[in-house]
Every structure is written in structure tokens, then in C-alpha cells.
Amino acid sequence: MKDDVDSREDRIANLKGMGCSRKRVEDARFTQGKGNYVDDIKLDGMLFGDFVRSPYAHATIKSIDSSAAMEVPGVLAVLTAADLEPLGLHWMPTLAGDKQMVLADGKVLFQGQEVAFVVARDRYAAADGIEAVEVEYEELPVLVDPFASMTSDVVLRPDTVADDGSPANGAHGPRKHHNHIFTWEAGDKEPTEQVIANAEVVAEEFMYYHRTHPCPLETCGCVASMDKVNGKLTLWGTFQAPHAIRTVVSLISGIEEHNIRVISPDIGGGFGNKVGAYPGYVCSVVASIVTGKPVKWIEDRMDNLMTTAFARDYWMKGRISATKEGKITGLHCHVTADHGGFDACADPTKFPAGFMNICTGSYDIPTAYLEVDGVYTNKAPGGVSYRCSFRVTEAVYFIERMIEVLAIELDMDAAELRRINFIRKEQFPYKAALGWEYDSGDYHTAWDKAMQAVDYDGLRAEQAQRIADFKAGKTRKLMGIGLTHFTEIVGAGPVKNCDILGLGMFDSCEIRIHPTGSAIARLGTISQGQGHATTFAQILASEIGLPADSITIEEGDTDTAPYGLGTYGSRSTPVAGAATAMAGRKIRAKAQMIAAYLLEVHDDDVEFDVDRFVVKGAPERFKTMKEIAFAAYNQAIPGIEPGLEAVSYYDPPNMTYPFGAYVCVMDIDVDTGVPDIRRFYALDDCGTRINPMIIEGQVHGGLTEALAVALGQEIAYDDMGNVKTGTLMDFFLPTAWEVPNYETDHTVTPSPHHPIGAKGVGESPHVGGVPCFSNAVHDAFRAFGLRQTHMPHDHWRIWKTANELGLHDQG
Amino acid sequence: MSKKQHYTLTVNGTEEEVLAEPRELLIYTLRERLNITGPHIGCETSHCGACTVTIDGKSVKSCTMFVAQADGKEITTIEGLGGPDALHPLQQAFKEHHGLQCGYCTPGMITRAAKLLEENPNPTEEEIRFGMSGNICRCTGYQNIVKSIQAAAAEMNASKEAAE
Ligand code: FES
Ligand code: FES
């Protein structure tokens, strides 16, 4: 028969399925400047909207006068909270169960807050209009420190206080103070206290994981177009969760969901920035309804850094206890979480501190307790997962620093301390003290491979020599060896415990096989650079035996794609990837019946082989998937519906737990504070590997974002609540010049509950990278008495550390 | 708001007349008046390079140049480097070596890299990293961008040799 000429290997290669480094199908348009990002959208009569923003961090608004602005040529409307109030849209719900002002309602709570929305013919006219809007503010005392906020008389959010002045209960229970948002606990408090009180060794540390920002190269934006004739609203935007946005827009606007079409076009990076719902979206929709014209809103970089979606800002206090030999017995963690003026964290509803309770890390810690207090301050709202799954970055930083501090306390090698405390391979599935059940892992194998690859003992010997040379005045450079073994928790998640605004966090895939043996598959997720159109086709190719090149992947249009919760928290592969495999298996099941009919045997007498069904024991008798596809459309098969389509909504039974072992070697110039990253080795275990090329690219990118965060990137405020890092002049984004080459490596420990065993990888390098870079800085100074210094470790702070340790006195 | 003026630009070999306020930034003239949406906007402060174009033989960040300053100049954007029928070797190499992810920086990157290779057809890795340091990528970590540029340089040198 015709397709019988190729060997089995050739047939497998021809599919370009799972495990091969298939080139990306997205790249043709991007390399030719033909991507379609939201700011590329141009509609007839389209207007442009932009915000008047507060220069103050905390102030009462006495008045807003837009009369002069309305005189500016090209300005069509100026919206304020007063205009939105009759529609009930001057406030909106946040993903965290709080609410947020769309436009300033009587006061502002952070610098850059949206005060009025100017709608004009184009962006220049809008900018002129903004200049002409007169707002009278009366300044209020500013709280930028969450600890001060928790004791201050100043009430930041009068709307959250009962008539008698006491804090009303919040979305997550009772509140301790009028500026307190929630307390969230995991684990056992008393037993943990007891274990620590009776321990042979206890290490304590306090660390600040500073505020930063995901800062994708493309800022947030949207185009809203209300078609009044048909009553349909179309909303294009930089949405990491288009379906959830549609539901939210429907709930707050009252427009029926079937009359709303949300489209995420190409997205220029997200990293968590584009998960939430922002005032710009609401104002654009309202402006389009008011003017009857399409309205575009695009943030500039300063708007982006100052207002949408900060990340981190966790003050973490830890105690870790161990035996004299270094066996860890208990862990206690308290977090003061600075959420800014509104609690707009993008976490599953029941997890106001995300998955911070993964903070026991890769270690077998029998007893643990975590408590998180969320606090309001005069900073921007957000609290998104910047290239991580819901606060996992904070958790991993915490435990990986605590391990280092414990190693100092025990006077032990930090690699060995990790080794003796890892959860052992045979303990999986492993139930952690803070509640999670880790699916699979083999930490010792990964760790030993990493230590060997970098010649860890050799590095330590070199470091010892360097310290001796430094002390002898022969060098001014110290050497740091940063270690990290991280365990992530990704793929949110099981509907039983994960939802956002009541929407279960399943995901979906729908497949249609065309008569000639090609296909289209649509998913509930949306790529922002991860290459879904490439990798999901690979999963399908392996599952259904049609070449990946013959499968189109589509995402992001809510009118056509099945409902899903979107792409963030490394959930695409664990959840939508699973849905894809499951839908593929439904296709295969029907194909099996068709094949059996065509081959005139019983269903059980045929089996799947790469790209065909063969008669068991008679491999020369087969039907290819291509033939089966055609048969599905061209003949009546008794008892089988025509067509070949399937849909799967996948509710994962558990999260997935990718892990990895990272080593960073850096030289630090003690006199300038400049670190030179000599080597970075990253071993990742993300379970089954779908496309090694893309995995490697994700690792390079994630490590670079980790380098940024650890070594300089921050959103800093002064005491008046002014943002000090609002442009790319002050906000550190590394260039090619500052970034090293990375060595990547892997082990493969499949997830036992995922249909193809994949765990997700996009965020691992960021999660593991930050503590690794930071530990390297700390390690360089360990011999001189450093225990803990806060990130980001920019040149100035490193210099200061050296100075405080007295290392500049001898020169 | 100031009075609109006529300007003449040659973009990717085509002469274009535009009527715009002199304060209009070139990136908006290109993107919004001429529908050349390859160059992107990432900062508007000259830091990210997403808006990079070539003007009279030099790499320029078009977010920091007024249209008035571009009057009478020759401008090349990503759209002018190559298309579906004939990709520029850099476009090909970025695809081959996974030199992009979200693609937002890519037009600026490739446009800058094309200029770099014109100035220095045999750059070392260090020269590439330095020469590309005006262009930020948030996704790739640069390793594969460097690789792509090296591959394109090799390819371009080989075909030059073959032609000689
Ligand atoms: S937009 Fe021009 S350099 Fe960033
Ligand atoms: S590929 Fe996304 S910014 Fe470079």
C-alpha cells in the first residue's frame, strides 16, 4: 500500500511529534514584522483613550474640572467616577475578592492611580486633553511601609471599615486592623512551635523579597468596539485569560456573555502582567458604548511599571530547626505581604497568598507552619505571579535562603545539608507538612548530576584558595557559589480547590479532523511567546498520528475556542496539554472503530501504531489515520456518526511538581560591587519533554528574568509614595551585554497523573534562578560573616555589603 | 497641537508623502499613517530598541525622532529586509535557532543585527553582545539571538564568497 514505503522510524520522524525540536510555526510572521499585536489593530473611526493619573500616593480629590479639556481639538469625552457611578462601574471586583476603583472615587491610594479617562481622536489629542484636565487634590498622610501601616491611625480604605470604625470582615475572614486585609494559615502552629523550642539547632532569619514588575516588552492594552446595531461587543486585548475576561466583562457590564467576543491577538510577553482586569479595559468598553466608536487604550511604559501588576513585596520571617547532624525537624514562616491600595492579587480564590505553602521546598520537613498577613499601603495594586505559579518564587526563595542560613548555623556545607534532607525518591507521592501532595521526583539523582557536572568539590577548593589570596592581599575578587534545588507547584489546578472568581481552573481542547487528514485544534489557553502553536501540535501528532505540520493550533478567540482559564502559572502544558492529549485519545478511539470496520475485523483486533491502525499480528493489513479521516467523512459506517471531532475539558487530579538543581558561579569585585557570572548550570526536570529546543529557550529566558530580579530590578518608592523606578532608565532589564551563556541539562521524572507525563517548565528557571543568583552573592561573603542581605543585589548594595563587612579597610 | 506639515520619507524604497504635526514621533508616522507595524513600541525612551529602523545607513530608535527630523530621509524597516519570497538570512537564522519567543522585540533586533553585520561582517560573540545592547528582549535571554546572528553572519559570508 502507498504509505508503506517508510520505515517505522521515518514515520515517527515525519510526524514531528513529542520529543523532537520542531522549529516554531509562529516565527515566519514574527521575523517578517507581520505579527498582529493589539496596538497593530486599526479600525474605522477608532478613538484613543488615556488616563489622567494621580501625582500623589494618597490624597482626597476635591474636584475634577474637565471643561478646558473638552475644548482641546480632538477631545470627545472625559470620563470620571461620577460618569461611571450610574452604571455601577466606578469600582470593579478584583480577582482576590476585594474591589478596586476604576476611576478615583473621592480619593486616590497610589501614585499613578487612574483619575479620569480622556477619549480623543488620536493619542496626541488625548495627551493634550490630559494636560488640560484640572484636578484639585488634598494630600493625606502616606503609608509605604506595611508594618507602619498595620499600626497607623490612618484609614486607607474607609470602604472596608464598619460604621463603628472597626475593620469589616474581608473576603478571607476577620481582619486585625483597618489596614489589614487577611490572615492565611497552613500547617500546625503549636506542634511547630514545640519542635522548634526543643530543637538542638535553630536558625532564624528575616528577608525582604522586594517589589518588582513583570515588564513584558509589550505593555497592556485593548481595543473595545461596541457594535450598537447588533448589540455585540468585541474586545481585543493583551489578555492571558481571554475567557475569564469575557465572563468578568459580562458580570460587571450586564452585557450577556454571548454578545461579548474577547480576542487575544499575538501577545508580546506576559509573565503575569496580563492576567488581571485593569481600569483601562473597563473605561475603553464604556467609552466605546458612549461614543459608538471603537476605542483603543495602550499603556505607556511608565503607566505599566507604576500601575498594572507589581510582583512580590513579601517580608518573610523564618525559623528552621534541625538536629546537630543537620536533619531538619521544623519550619516556621511568617509573611507580611504588601498588597498596595487594593488587593488585586491574581491567585486562585481560596489561596490569598497563592501557593506560598510550598515553602517546605524539596525537603522532608515533618512539621511546619505558615502564616501570611496581607496589608494595605499606598502603593499600586497587583501581586501577580511574575513568571511563577502563585507566589512559588517567594516560597522557593524563602526555603533556599533558610537552608543556607541553617548551613551557616551548623557550620556545614550547604550542598550536603540539602542532600541529607531531600525527599527520597521512594517517598513519592509525598505528602508535605503544609498540605500538598508532590506527584513525583528524584532529587538525589538530579543533585548529584549537577554537583558532578560543575565539579563542586573543585569549585569549593578554588574558592578556599581565593579566600586565602584575598586575605593575603593578592586579589580583590571574591568567588561565590550559588546553589538551589527548587520544587515548583504548577498547573492550577484541580477544580475541587482551584477557582478564579468561581470559575474552576480546568482547561480545554477541541479538535476537528478534516477529510483530507489535516486538522485544527483550539484551546482555552493563549500563548505569549511559549510557542503553543508548535508544541500542542506535537502532542497531537503523537496522539493521533497526523503530522504536526498538518495541524493548526488556534487560541484566544472566545467565539471559537472552548472555555479555559488561560495561560499563567505554567498551567498550559499541565492542564491544556493534558486536555489536548485526552481529546486526541477520543479521536483515536473513534478512529479505531472506523479502522476495524474498514479492515473488517473486530475493534479489539486492531492496534495503534504511530500513524495508523494495524491488524494485530498482521502488520501488512492497516489503515493510516489519513485514510481513516477520509472514511469518517465519505461513507456510512453502521453505528458510527459521520465526522471526526472531539473535545475534552480536563480537570487535573493534582498539580504537577517540576524541580531542578541550579549552580551559579560568580566573581565579585569587592571594590566596585560588580558581579561577574562565570558559569550558570541549570538542570531541569519537567517530566516528559515535548520540545527540547523550546524548553531550552524557556530556561534561558527565565534565568535572565531571574538575574534581573536578583541583581537589580525593583519597583522602589520613596517615603512620599513616589515611584523611583518608573522608566527603563531606572528599572533594570538586562541586555545581551549583562547576560551570560547558560548551560542546560535535564533529568526526566514523568508526572504519574498527567496523560503524557509532562509537568511544565516556563517558570522553573525564574523560580529557581532568583535564589541561585542571590545565594551566590551571599556565598561569596559567607567566609566574612555575611548571613543575609536583601535583594536586589545591585552594584551599590553589594559594595555596601563589602563595606559593612570591613572589606574595604584593608586595601 | 501645532500646525500640520507635509513631509516626504522614503520607506523601504517607496516615497511616501505624509501630513503630520512636526512633533509626531517617527514610530507613529510609520505605524499609524503608513501601516508599517513591524517596528514596535516598548518604552518610548530610547531604551528597548523595539522601534529600531535604519535611517540613512544608521540604526535609529524611531520612538525618539520627530517625523520632521526624518523629512527627506531613507528609512528601512523589517518589512524592507525580506519577505515571504526571499527571507533575509537573519530572518531565516532567527527561525532556525529559536532566536525569538513572543516576537515583539524581533523586528527591532533583526533590523539592528542587519546593520551590525553590515558594519562588521565577522563579529565576535562579545562584539555581537555589545553591538546588540541597545535592544532588549524579555523572553529569550539572548543566548539564541547571539547564536542566530552568528549563524546568519556565517551564511552571509559563505554566499558572498561563493559569489566572488
Ligand atoms: S520604543 Fe523606542 S527604544 Fe523603546
Ligand atoms: S522575543 Fe519576546 S521580547 Fe524578545
Side-chain angles (χ1 to χ4, degrees):
Chain A
M1 250 185 93
K2 52 262 162 213
D3 283 315
D4 203 24
V5 283
D6 294 338
S7 71
R8 193 163 188 276
E9 284 65 41
D10 288 344
R11 288 193 282 123
I12 292 172
N14 186 36
L15 291 181
K16 296 193 191 163
M18 279 194 290
C20 83
S21 286
R22 179 179 186 223
K23 303 291 179 224
R24 301 198 336 157
V25 297
E26 295 88 342
D27 292 355
R29 66 176 185 280
F30 293 147
T31 51
Q32 294 175 60
K34 297 295 179 198
N36 182 36
Y37 302 90
V38 68
D39 201 12
D40 297 339
I41 292 168
K42 209 171 173 182
L43 303 175
D44 273 352
M46 189 172 73
L47 305 174
F48 192 86
D50 202 356
F51 287 108
V52 175
R53 294 180 181 276
S54 170
Y56 298 107
H58 196 198
T60 305
I61 294 190
K62 310 283 284 181
S63 65
I64 302 175
D65 181 357
S66 48
S67 52
M70 290 301 291
E71 299 301 312
V72 171
V75 171
L76 281 97
V78 179
L79 300 178
T80 64
D83 301 310
L84 300 184
E85 190 173 356
L87 308 167
L89 291 176
H90 54 321
W91 288 73
M92 63 179 184
T94 70
L95 297 180
D98 194 2
K99 54 182 190 157
Q100 174 179 352
M101 292 178 208
V102 173
L103 289 171
D105 183 20
K107 71 181 292 193
V108 287
L109 283 152
F110 63 94
Q111 189 183 47
Q113 189 177 330
E114 301 81 0
V115 173
F117 192 65
V118 175
V119 186
R121 195 185 51 218
D122 58 37
R123 50 184 105 206
Y124 281 83
D128 292 340
I130 288 167
E131 285 292 302
V133 175
E134 283 188 29
V135 185
E136 200 186 330
Y137 298 92
E138 188 172 292
E139 286 182 72
L140 293 167
V142 173
L143 296 170
V144 288
D145 170 15
F147 299 99
S149 184
M150 278 292 286
T151 56
S152 170
D153 294 340
V154 177
V155 179
L156 293 176
R157 290 280 303 273
D159 62 294
T160 69
V161 174
D163 290 341
D164 64 357
S166 65
N169 272 4
H172 307 286
R175 295 158 63 219
K176 298 173 185 164
H177 178 267
H178 51 250
N179 295 332
H180 177 249
I181 309 171
F182 63 83
T183 298
W184 188 66
E185 293 173 287
D188 303 315
K189 188 171 185 170
E190 281 318 311
T192 305
E193 290 292 1
Q194 262 172 31
V195 165
I196 292 174
N198 299 324
E200 291 175 354
V201 181
V202 179
E204 251 185 271
E205 202 42 78
F206 182 50
M207 61 195 89
Y208 179 42
Y209 199 142
H210 60 290
R211 181 175 275 237
T212 182
H213 193 283
C215 194
L217 198 56
E218 176 203 36
T219 59
C220 299
C222 71
V223 177
S225 180
M226 184 71 204
D227 170 353
K228 290 198 178 175
V229 176
N230 296 303
K232 287 241 177 201
L233 171 71
T234 307
L235 183 62
W236 291 262
T238 49
F239 310 128
Q240 287 182 238
H243 298 273
I245 290 282
R246 185 186 70 190
T247 302
V248 171
V249 170
S250 175
L251 289 173
I252 67 180
S253 70
I255 302 172
E256 277 198 81
E257 208 166 346
H258 73 106
N259 278 330
I260 302 172
R261 178 180 188 186
V262 174
I263 301 175
S264 296
D266 287 327
I267 296 182
F271 316 122
N273 193 176
K274 296 166 179 172
V275 174
Y278 300 123
Y281 306 157
V282 179
C283 289
S284 303
V285 169
V286 173
S288 180
I289 293 172
V290 170
T291 60
K293 299 258 172 65
V295 175
K296 180 187 272 188
W297 166 73
I298 304 284
E299 288 181 313
D300 67 22
R301 180 55 63 192
M302 207 177 221
D303 299 341
N304 177 250
L305 289 172
M306 284 174 58
T307 67
T308 46
F310 79 88
R312 322 287 152 81
D313 217 345
Y314 261 31
W315 297 85
M316 305 184 283
K317 207 173 164 126
R319 280 177 289 152
I320 188 164
S321 63
T323 64
K324 288 198 298 288
E325 294 73 35
K327 188 82 194 79
I328 299 171
T329 54
L331 180 73
H332 188 290
C333 177
H334 181 272
V335 180
T336 300
D338 185 340
H339 287 238
F342 308 96
D343 186 8
C345 287
D347 292 317
T349 307
K350 296 186 194 78
F351 297 90
F355 303 154
M356 183 65 199
N357 58 336
I358 192 76
C359 67
T360 51
S362 310
Y363 311 102
D364 183 15
I365 303 181
T367 322
Y369 175 69
L370 163 73
E371 185 181 35
V372 182
D373 281 303
V375 182
Y376 289 125
T377 60
N378 289 120
K379 297 185 189 168
V384 300
S385 316
Y386 171 6
R387 203 166 187 146
C388 86
S389 173
F390 313 117
R391 303 286 184 185
V392 175
T393 316
E394 289 89 324
V396 170
Y397 187 73
F398 171 78
I399 185 65
E400 288 302 299
R401 284 299 310 140
M402 289 309 292
I403 290 282
E404 294 282 321
V405 172
L406 179 62
I408 293 172
E409 198 72 45
L410 290 160
D411 194 21
M412 219 176 139
D413 177 79
E416 182 56 19
L417 178 59
R418 284 181 173 83
R419 212 177 181 289
I420 62 178
N421 284 291
F422 283 142
I423 300 160
R424 293 184 317 279
K425 190 177 167 185
E426 62 276 12
Q427 286 176 283
F428 292 94
Y430 173 80
K431 185 100 173 111
L434 294 178
W436 298 113
E437 188 178 290
Y438 295 19
D439 58 351
S440 65
D442 184 354
Y443 301 165
H444 287 95
T445 300
W447 192 246
D448 293 347
K449 192 173 179 189
M451 293 301 109
Q452 235 165 26
V454 299
D455 180 20
Y456 181 68
D457 295 339
L459 285 174
R460 284 292 176 205
E462 186 190 346
Q463 185 187 41
Q465 182 60 47
R466 183 73 70 82
I467 292 167
D469 288 350
F470 183 86
K471 286 181 175 163
K474 291 191 207 158
T475 178
R476 296 297 291 159
K477 286 193 176 163
L478 292 173
M479 177 178 160
I481 304 167
L483 303 175
T484 285
H485 189 288
F486 65 90
T487 296
E488 260 211 295
I489 170 170
V490 307
V495 172
K496 63 178 185 286
N497 55 13
C498 289
D499 72 275
I500 285 184
L501 293 175
L503 304 165
M505 295 180 75
F506 57 84
D507 227 290
S508 58
C509 174
E510 180 201 279
I511 307 169
R512 295 181 185 182
I513 311 288
H514 307 314
T516 51
S518 65
I520 183 164
R522 297 187 171 101
L523 291 92
T525 43
I526 177 73
S527 187
Q528 310 124 38
Q530 296 90 336
H532 291 176
T534 305
T535 49
F536 285 133
Q538 289 181 257
I539 297 177
L540 270 184
S542 292
E543 290 291 343
I544 64 177
L546 292 174
D549 289 346
S550 303
I551 302 169
T552 296
I553 300 289
E554 244 185 44
E555 302 173 299
D557 182 342
T558 59
D559 262 11
T560 55
Y563 204 99
L565 267 277
T567 295
Y568 44 86
S570 280
R571 61 186 303 282
S572 298
T573 297
V575 193
T580 304
M582 297 310 270
R585 286 171 197 182
K586 290 185 187 176
I587 296 277
R588 213 159 81 184
K590 184 167 177 184
Q592 178 165 6
M593 294 191 276
I594 297 171
Y597 170 80
L598 296 174
L599 292 162
E600 297 175 14
V601 295
H602 191 269
D603 289 356
D604 294 338
D605 292 335
V606 292
E607 62 188 356
F608 188 67
D609 178 45
V610 185
D611 58 353
R612 61 193 57 186
F613 277 94
V614 299
V615 176
K616 286 180 188 165
E620 71 289 351
R621 293 185 60 207
F622 63 86
K623 287 288 168 191
T624 64
M625 283 301 292
K626 227 175 140 148
E627 292 170 314
I628 295 166
F630 196 68
Y633 290 89
N634 97 321
Q635 52 185 290
I637 302 172
I640 300 179
E641 282 181 11
L644 195 50
E645 300 190 1
V647 58
S648 167
Y649 280 77
Y650 187 78
D651 178 10
N654 190 4
M655 313 278 187
T656 61
Y657 298 76
F659 61 94
Y662 291 179
V663 183
C664 171
V665 184
M666 63 168 70
D667 289 325
I668 292 180
D669 185 321
V670 169
D671 298 314
T672 61
V674 176
D676 174 24
I677 299 148
R678 248 167 58 183
R679 186 163 187 195
F680 200 108
Y681 169 89
L683 179 150
D684 276 279
D685 191 320
C686 57
T688 304
R689 291 155 58 86
I690 301 167
N691 182 322
M693 175 191 83
I694 285 182
I695 291 174
E696 195 173 273
Q698 290 289 315
V699 174
H700 294 166
L703 288 175
T704 303
E705 291 194 338
L707 179 153
V709 170
L711 301 183
Q713 182 180 89
E714 66 176 322
I715 295 291
Y717 287 81
D718 68 12
D719 292 345
M720 303 292 294
N722 297 307
V723 180
K724 296 197 289 180
T725 52
T727 71
L728 298 191
M729 176 87 93
D730 320 284
F731 186 80
F732 175 51
L733 297 182
T735 68
W737 187 244
E738 285 113 354
V739 173
N741 281 312
Y742 305 105
E743 296 163 53
T744 53
D745 203 346
H746 64 274
T747 54
V748 177
T749 313
S751 168
H753 63 78
H754 187 281
I756 58 169
K759 291 186 169 187
V761 74
E763 298 167 339
S764 297
H766 188 73
V767 167
V770 177
C772 194
F773 285 111
S774 179
N775 281 345
V777 173
H778 282 91
D779 184 69
F781 295 105
R782 175 173 169 178
F784 301 90
L786 180 68
R787 251 177 93 109
Q788 173 65 27
T789 179
H790 298 324
M791 290 192 293
H793 310 297
D794 54 22
H795 303 173
W796 156 242
R797 286 186 177 96
I798 293 180
W799 181 90
K800 230 168 82 184
T801 297
N803 195 263
E804 282 161 11
L805 294 171
L807 302 183
H808 293 152
D809 303 341
Q810 12 170 310
Chain B
M1 168 105 178
S2 46
K3 226 171 129 279
K4 287 192 174 172
Q5 314 240 354
H6 284 278
Y7 301 103
T8 311
L9 323 171
T10 306
V11 186
N12 300 326
T14 309
E15 200 173 281
E16 306 274 7
E17 277 274 319
V18 297
L19 179 64
E21 290 179 49
R23 66 170 176 169
E24 183 167 296
L25 295 167
L26 178 59
I27 184 74
Y28 291 117
T29 313
L30 293 172
R31 290 178 48 82
E32 292 181 4
R33 292 188 195 280
L34 302 176
N35 288 326
I36 293 174
T37 53
H40 296 137
I41 300 161
C43 70
E44 292 178 297
T45 52
S46 271
H47 288 96
C48 77
C51 61
T52 304
V53 299
T54 309
I55 302 185
D56 288 353
K58 287 205 166 60
S59 291
V60 170
K61 290 173 175 171
S62 61
C63 72
T64 337
M65 184 182 229
F66 293 118
V67 57
Q69 296 170 286
D71 190 26
K73 310 248 189 233
E74 293 250 2
I75 302 170
T76 308
T77 70
I78 184 77
E79 287 90 342
L81 286 182
D85 299 330
L87 288 183
H88 188 282
L90 276 160
Q91 292 172 318
Q92 189 60 42
F94 269 65
K95 280 171 59 178
E96 277 306 304
H97 298 277
H98 194 24
L100 63 149
Q101 291 178 24
C102 79
Y104 200 76
C105 71
T106 311
M109 277 294 168
I110 292 181
T111 308
R112 169 60 201 145
K115 195 71 227 145
L116 177 77
L117 293 186
E118 229 176 273
E119 292 159 358
N120 179 1
N122 269 310
T124 62
E125 176 175 346
E126 210 176 36
E127 285 168 337
I128 293 175
R129 285 185 177 273
F130 187 75
M132 296 302 297
S133 64
N135 290 67
I136 285 172
C137 174
R138 290 290 288 143
C139 302
T140 63
Y142 304 105
Q143 197 156 325
N144 289 341
I145 289 181
V146 172
K147 224 177 166 183
S148 305
I149 297 173
Q150 286 169 327
E155 164 67 29
M156 287 161 77
N157 292 334
S159 49
K160 217 187 301 165
E161 255 170 50
E164 274 161 15

